Structure formats: structure tokens, C-alpha cells
Amino acid sequence: APTLLNTEGAGQSVTGTAHDRAGNAADATFSGVNIDLTPPTLTGAPTTDPNENGWYNGDVNVHWTADDALSGVDLATVPANTVVTGEGSNLGTPVMHVSDKAGNTAAASYAGIHIDRTAPKTTASVPTDPSLLKNGWYTGPVQVSLLGSDALSGVAATKYSLDGGPAADYDGSFQFNLGGVHTIAFWSVDNAGNVEDKTAHGNTITLKIDNIDPTITGARGNGD
């Protein structure tokens, strides 16, 4: 009767025996049977690591690796690198497929990629109380507050500089009391490494402070 081979393995064989009515016997062996019932494996991984905060700020290439322990991978079916674009906190690839040489197929996708391409935005606020501000001039210290916002990866740091000087970290509102006319530039950096362009968005405030009383002198006239 037919013999069923249903186990995995390479180079399997089966032998059959026939008898005639006189009691003679003959054997025949069929060999070279290769059976692979297990699908291959397919895994994806980004070709570059995210930053220390787990974020990217550009396209991410995902490379696919396939393996098959028995018949071997059909290399023609191994997916090429997949480029993940867009923005989001949980981006991924489409479902990809691979086959082995026996025709078994496997499917896989890769998810959990964080991409933020948009720089944060920072706003500044200063008092506008008429008792402190007259004709565009402040008569004493000015409380300066900065607020950075980022809709995706979040703000990592907010910075400012005075009159084009070195950057300083902003860690809360501060009093500015230098007399004269001064310009404060401000910007933020998000957790994906995007840096706000402080020049493109007009991220500056100009403070004019005059805390010195005017002088007045009198002189005796000549009677005219």
C-alpha cells in the first residue's frame, strides 16, 4: 500500500516489499524525499539607533533578515529595506512576506518607531502693566517667562541668549534688570533633537529699562 511520509527531514527514503505466490520477495527503495513543514522566520530591525530619548527626526530604514533551518530561504522573496516616513509615536512597516524553498511562507512587520520632524515652538511673556511700562520703557526689573511646547516628542530644553551672547539654560521665569536697551533671543530643543530656528520665527524680545531718575536744575533768571 502507499506509504505516507509526514515528518520533516532531508533525504528521506521508504522501502516497499512485494511477494509472489511462490514466496519470492523483492524490495524497492524510493529515496531523496525532502520534507519541510516549518515556515521560515522573518525579522526586521532599524539600521540606525534612535537617540538617547528613543526618537528619530528623519526617515528610518528597516532591514529584514530571514532564516530557515531546513530547506533554506528563497532569497528572491526576502524583502528589501523598508523606509518608514512620516511622524508619530508608534510608526511601523507594512506586513512583509518571505518564503522558503519548500513553499512555506511567513509574514512579519516592525512597529514602535518614534519619529518627530517638527521643531518645538517657544513663546515669551513680560508684564504689560502700565504702572511698570511707560512709552515702551520699564522703570524697574522685568519678569521674563518663556514657554516651550512640542506636540510629539516633548520639549527637552529651552534656552535663551542676551544680546547675541552665549546660550543659557532656562529653568524658570527670571528678573531682568539691566538698564538700557537689550535683546533676548529664545528657543527650544525637543526630545528628538529638533532645534527651533530662533531667527525664522522672530523669537526675540527687546527690553528697555530706565531705572534712573531724571535730573533737573534751576538757575536764577535775569528778570526778563
Side-chain angles (χ1 to χ4, degrees), residues 101-189:
K101 293 178 180 178
N104 302 301
T105 61
S109 62
Y110 187 90
I113 295 174
H114 310 314
I115 300 178
D116 182 359
R117 304 170 186 269
T118 304
K121 185 72 177 72
T122 310
T123 57
S125 61
V126 293
T128 58
D129 188 340
S131 65
L132 302 174
L133 183 64
K134 299 180 185 298
N135 300 315
W137 285 83
Y138 289 93
T139 58
V142 180
Q143 195 75 18
V144 179
S145 298
L146 304 177
L147 178 63
S149 62
D150 188 90
L152 202 49
S153 63
V155 175
T158 297
K159 299 177 179 294
Y160 67 95
S161 67
L162 174 63
D163 296 331
D169 291 327
Y170 175 77
D171 56 6
S173 62
F174 59 92
Q175 276 198 342
F176 185 80
N177 57 6
L178 289 179
V181 180
H182 300 279
T183 299
I184 297 176
F186 50 89
W187 66 96
S188 292
V189 181

Side-chain angles (χ1 to χ4, degrees), residues 40-60:
T41 60
L42 181 64
T43 55
T47 59
T48 56
D49 293 327
N51 69 8
E52 63 274 13
N53 299 313
W55 284 86
Y56 297 92
N57 57 16
D59 293 347
V60 178

Side-chain angles (χ1 to χ4, degrees), residues 27-109:
D27 295 330
T29 299
F30 185 83
S31 59
V33 178
N34 303 316
I35 300 177
D36 182 357
L37 304 175
T38 304
T41 60
L42 181 64
T43 55
T47 59
T48 56
D49 293 327
N51 69 8
E52 63 274 13
N53 299 313
W55 284 86
Y56 297 92
N57 57 16
D59 293 347
V60 178
N61 274 293
V62 175
H63 178 73
W64 298 98
T65 301
D67 188 39
D68 188 87
L70 199 50
S71 63
V73 175
D74 181 354
L75 297 179
T77 67
V78 178
N81 285 3
T82 303
V83 181
V84 179
T85 62
E87 288 185 297
S89 59
N90 189 22
L91 299 176
T93 68
V95 176
M96 312 302 289
H97 298 83
V98 70
S99 300
D100 63 19
K101 293 178 180 178
N104 302 301
T105 61
S109 62

